[in-house]
Amino acid sequence: MSPHIGNLSFLRFINLRNNSLSGKIPQQIGHLFRLQHLNLSDNILEGVIPVNLTYCSELNIISLRSNRLMGNILSELGSFTKLLTLNLATNNLTGENNFVRQVPASFGDLPDLRWLGLSNNNLESYSANDLYFITPLTNCSNLEILDMSLNNFGGVLPNSVANLSTNSLQILALDGNRLSGQIASSIGNLTQMFQLYLSENKLEGSIPPSIGNCKNLQYMDISDNSLSGDIPPQLCGGVSEFQLPACPIKGSEPRKILGRKQKLIIALVVGCLILLSFLLALYWRRKQEKKPPSAVSSINFLSKVSYETLHQATSGFIPNALIGSGSFGSVYKGILENEENSVAIKVFNLQQKGASKSFMVECDALRNIRHRNLVQILTCFSSTDYNGNEFKALVFKYMSDGSLEQWLHRENQSRSLSLHQRLNIAVDVASALYYLHDHCEQPIIHCDLKPSNILLDDDMNAHVGDFGLASLISATADSSLNQSSTVGITGTIGYAAPEYAIGGEPSRQGDIYSYGILVLEMFTGRRPTDEMFKDGFNLHNFVKMAIHERTMQIVDPAILAAIEEKAPAAKGKEANYINGETEAGEENINYVNISEMNPFVRKCILPVLEIGLACLEKSPKRRVKMQNVTGELHRIQNALIGVEIRRERPKIRAK
């Protein structure tokens, strides 16, 4: 790293992470007195942290994670009164001096510190009875994330843990140390904590009942200790195997403070409102029934455009503007006059049978729905072209990063979706389906969910599009079989539910089946129409037969390659299955213990594949509901956060 960086005295933001920077951090960096953000993580920098860095008094973020830095953690770092994040994880740093390798006491002078990452260094407590290693941090009143895992802290878990920021601490990671004795009962004071990591220590005794006070706790890893005794009765979650009761829903019980008169008044008011709503709905429905049907009158025009406008936006619908095509038409990229952003214009081929009806179905489906994970429609257009021919088009907000299909199966794999991105896309699509099925005024069945109909914006957020086969169902119907409109065969081969092949009507369960196929395709990298799937063998069977015994063989190699870069190689047999291949002499091994799996696989990929299989039950009634899918995926996202906090951290053995 060049010392000349010190000449850039107006720099406020430096992000050089994930490069191959080597050598020492130059002392001249201290000349950047305006610097607020410094990120040099994921490089091969060595030497000590320069003392001159403390001259950058405006710093609020310092990240030097995953380098080869050594020497003391400067006590002078406690002078950064504006510091929000300090991440020094995965280096070879020690404490204040060579005799006491502890957290500098000055860290207690960081009042605004939110995130402190000191994991995977050479910190230790020098006395078996020492409670000092956590004490300096008890003055950090705004601390939210504390990660001191994979060091050599010994002795008992100090009671001073109760003096951490009880109103803000959300994640506490002390795993991979040498902590012994019982878990301090004072840990129950951390009521805002939602992730706790104490695994791979020497803890013993029972889990303190006070842990039940941590009402926000969602993830607790206390594996690989010597704990005994009963689970505290305050835990909940509805897990039958552990005899845990379901968690109470806040606010579900009526307020006891209301007197009888107050309850009576509320009941009367609610009853009147219900009656009034019913009368208004009845009046509105009769008024709508009196209106004559019109092909376009029901469409909400969000902006006025002409055929000339669309023609100019696409330079005459030239081939260079074509970005896609489907069963009923083609999609062009265009720029409308006086519009800053590009648009996608779906032009219907009205010579194709069913195209005109598809236009109306899509307009009706999209006119009253608004959701962040649905493609945003700007207008529906129906008129004539320059030759007097009928012309119909839909204008959408342009999605700059193309379709999920292109990302999953592009020939050039230099850019592929990461595990985190795939999980986010799965959540986005599930959220969109949950909205369409259960939260629309008139529920909608998409009927053609597949990767080419999932579009990505420039932030890689997923948006479900193409409602040309959508089915509108009655909001009051108990079944989703009461459709008002559909076009031809429902769905696409490979993604359509099996009941559709024998004349089954569009249903929520049909969309859920398509979603299950989509999830398996995202995480295995295999299309359901792959040539390997024939004679009754399909993507569903491919995953189901191998999910627990040969998980690494069925996962998309692009995901595994990214995991290999982020985290240490898995221990045990699993290392032989990277990229779906076995090393010489290992051909006959077909079982990998779940406990030996890479944590990314065990805590994220495996449960996601299980969700996909739950969506593919042969009986539609047994398929999991989208409400449950979204909830489970959010839980997996939280688990992935916990894994990423501890990524790229080789184990440090106790001395």
Side-chain angles (χ1 to χ4, degrees):
M1 188 172 178
S2 172
H4 298 296
I5 194 172
N7 296 329
L8 307 175
S9 58
F10 283 89
L11 272 179
R12 287 178 168 80
F13 186 100
I14 297 178
N15 187 350
L16 298 174
R17 68 172 295 271
N18 200 19
N19 284 288
S20 299
L21 298 176
S22 59
K24 299 181 179 180
I25 302 175
Q27 294 282 348
Q28 289 82 353
I29 202 168
H31 298 167
L32 307 178
F33 60 91
R34 295 183 175 89
L35 194 61
Q36 299 175 7
H37 183 122
L38 176 63
N39 190 345
L40 302 177
S41 60
D42 300 287
N43 284 287
I44 48 176
L45 296 169
E46 54 189 17
V48 299
I49 301 174
V51 177
N52 286 4
L53 183 62
T54 58
Y55 295 148
C56 305
S57 59
E58 297 297 312
L59 275 168
N60 51 55
I61 293 180
I62 300 176
S63 181
L64 305 177
R65 177 181 60 86
S66 295
N67 280 286
R68 299 175 181 175
L69 300 175
M70 56 187 301
N72 301 333
I73 297 178
L74 298 176
S75 60
E76 289 84 355
L77 293 177
S79 65
F80 291 106
T81 56
K82 299 181 180 180
L83 200 60
L84 302 176
T85 296
L86 177 60
N87 196 343
L88 305 177
T90 315
N91 282 287
N92 296 306
L93 298 169
T94 59
E96 289 185 300
N97 57 62
N98 290 330
F99 301 100
V100 184
R101 297 179 173 180
Q102 296 172 335
V103 179
S106 61
F107 278 19
D109 299 326
L110 301 173
D112 295 326
L113 190 65
R114 302 288 198 277
W115 184 343
L116 179 60
L118 299 176
S119 65
N120 198 18
N121 278 288
N122 292 320
L123 298 171
E124 64 181 41
S125 50
Y126 61 92
S127 170
N129 297 318
D130 174 59
L131 304 174
Y132 183 71
F133 77 94
I134 212 167
T135 303
L137 306 175
T138 57
N139 294 328
C140 301
S141 57
N142 291 300
L143 196 62
E144 296 177 358
I145 299 176
L146 175 59
D147 187 357
M148 302 174 69
S149 56
L150 292 172
N151 281 287
N152 286 300
F153 294 120
V156 298
L157 181 65
N159 273 308
S160 58
V161 71
N163 297 324
L164 290 171
S165 183
T166 56
N167 293 323
S168 62
L169 191 69
Q170 299 176 23
I171 298 177
L172 175 62
L174 295 173
D175 51 302
N177 282 287
R178 294 184 290 126
L179 299 176
S180 59
Q182 296 189 347
I183 300 176
S185 61
S186 58
I187 201 167
N189 294 349
L190 303 176
T191 56
Q192 300 303 311
M193 179 171 59
F194 72 88
Q195 290 189 16
L196 173 64
Y197 300 90
L198 294 175
S199 63
E200 299 180 71
N201 279 288
K202 300 179 180 179
L203 298 170
E204 57 188 13
S206 60
I207 303 173
S210 61
I211 199 75
N213 298 330
C214 302
K215 301 296 185 182
N216 294 312
L217 195 62
Q218 299 179 19
Y219 188 91
M220 179 171 68
D221 188 352
I222 52 177
S223 59
D224 296 314
N225 281 287
S226 300
L227 298 172
S228 59
D230 299 326
I231 298 178
Q234 292 92 338
L235 293 180
C236 65
V239 182
S240 58
E241 290 86 347
F242 299 121
Q243 299 181 346
L244 298 181
C247 294
I249 301 175
K250 295 181 179 179
S252 61
E253 298 182 0
R255 295 185 177 182
K256 296 182 180 180
I257 61 173
L258 292 176
R260 292 183 178 180
K261 292 183 178 180
Q262 291 172 307
K263 292 181 180 179
L264 180 60
I265 292 173
I266 291 176
L268 289 173
V269 171
V270 171
C272 292
L273 290 174
I274 292 174
L275 179 60
L276 180 61
S277 300
F278 174 77
L279 293 175
L280 288 174
L282 186 63
Y283 169 78
W284 177 85
R285 183 174 180 178
R286 289 182 177 178
K287 186 177 180 180
Q288 292 297 316
E289 289 175 352
K290 292 180 181 180
K291 287 186 176 181
S294 172
V296 186
S297 62
S298 63
I299 299 170
N300 289 334
F301 286 89
L302 306 181
S303 62
K304 297 294 183 180
V305 297
S306 64
Y307 175 79
E308 181 182 9
T309 302
L310 300 182
H311 192 271
Q312 291 177 350
T314 58
S315 301
F317 301 103
I318 60 175
N320 286 343
L322 184 67
I323 56 175
S325 59
S327 302
F328 298 116
S330 302
V331 182
Y332 296 86
K333 179 181 179 182
I335 301 178
L336 296 179
E337 189 177 359
N338 298 325
E339 294 284 344
E340 295 181 359
N341 299 322
S342 300
V343 295
I345 304 172
K346 182 176 181 179
V347 178
F348 286 78
N349 177 14
L350 300 179
Q351 305 302 316
Q352 177 71 29
K353 183 180 180 180
S356 183
K357 187 174 183 180
S358 176
F359 170 78
M360 287 309 307
V361 168
E362 195 156 5
C363 287
D364 284 338
L366 294 172
R367 61 175 178 161
N368 289 322
I369 59 176
R370 295 289 183 275
H371 191 273
R372 64 185 179 277
N373 296 123
L374 297 177
V375 174
Q376 182 182 350
I377 187 171
L378 302 179
T379 188
C380 299
F381 180 83
S382 180
S383 183
T384 57
D385 60 18
Y386 289 148
N387 298 320
N389 299 318
E390 189 178 14
F391 180 89
K392 296 183 185 296
L394 302 176
V395 182
F396 298 95
K397 183 178 179 180
Y398 178 68
M399 297 287 109
S400 58
D401 267 328
S403 71
L404 177 60
E405 167 81 15
Q406 294 168 333
W407 278 90
L408 291 177
H409 305 296
R410 62 174 61 189
E411 293 182 2
N412 180 10
Q413 288 293 334
S414 60
R415 292 182 65 200
S416 61
L417 294 170
S418 66
L419 173 61
H420 195 80
Q421 288 171 326
R422 294 178 202 232
L423 181 58
N424 286 346
I425 292 171
V427 171
D428 289 344
V429 177
S431 299
L433 284 183
Y434 181 32
Y435 168 79
L436 292 172
H437 291 177
D438 300 303
H439 292 285
C440 286
E441 181 179 351
Q442 186 175 17
I444 295 174
I445 309 302
H446 187 278
C447 296
D448 197 21
L449 194 68
K450 56 185 177 181
S452 60
N453 288 339
I454 309 300
L455 303 179
L456 305 173
D457 61 23
D458 52 5
D459 292 321
M460 296 301 287
N461 297 313
H463 303 261
V464 177
D466 198 342
F467 286 77
L469 297 181
S471 177
L472 311 180
I473 62 176
S474 170
T476 59
D478 294 332
S479 167
S480 60
L481 303 183
N482 179 21
Q483 94 262 19
S484 63
S485 57
T486 187
V487 180
I489 299 175
T490 305
T492 300
I493 294 176
Y495 301 92
E499 60 267 22
Y500 290 169
I502 56 175
E505 300 290 353
S507 66
R508 291 178 174 89
Q509 292 77 18
D511 273 0
I512 292 169
Y513 182 93
S514 300
Y515 178 80
I517 294 293
L518 181 77
V519 167
L520 298 190
E521 182 174 359
M522 276 201 295
F523 285 84
T524 65
R526 295 183 183 272
R527 290 187 175 95
T529 55
D530 192 290
E531 59 182 11
M532 71 176 291
F533 300 131
K534 55 185 177 181
D535 299 328
F537 184 62
N538 55 30
L539 179 59
H540 180 194
N541 297 333
F542 172 72
V543 174
K544 189 174 183 179
M545 292 170 58
I547 185 170
H548 290 296
E549 298 181 351
R550 299 185 300 276
T551 306
M552 302 297 286
Q553 288 182 314
I554 62 175
V555 176
D556 188 344
I559 300 179
L560 299 179
I563 291 177
E564 281 283 274
E565 294 178 1
K566 283 187 175 183
K571 61 181 179 179
K573 300 184 182 97
E574 182 206 19
N576 298 318
Y577 288 96
I578 299 298
N579 295 325
E581 298 176 356
T582 56
E583 295 178 356
E586 297 290 337
E587 293 86 350
N588 294 324
I589 295 178
N590 61 2
Y591 180 79
V592 178
N593 192 297
I594 291 178
S595 65
E596 295 177 342
M597 286 184 180
N598 183 292
F600 287 95
V601 177
R602 186 175 70 251
K603 297 183 179 181
C604 179
I605 297 177
L606 187 60
V608 168
L609 292 176
E610 289 174 338
I611 289 175
L613 293 179
C615 294
L616 297 173
E617 288 285 349
K618 185 175 182 180
S619 170
K621 293 182 179 180
R622 295 185 61 185
R623 292 171 195 161
V624 63
K625 295 181 179 179
M626 290 314 301
Q627 178 181 5
N628 297 334
V629 169
T630 54
E632 189 66 13
L633 287 174
H634 284 303
R635 185 194 66 77
I636 295 171
Q637 279 185 317
N638 290 333
L640 183 58
I641 292 174
V643 174
E644 288 184 333
I645 286 176
R646 301 180 294 169
R647 66 185 180 182
E648 298 180 3
R649 300 182 305 184
K651 303 292 184 184
I652 295 180
R653 300 299 178 189
K655 294 182 178 180

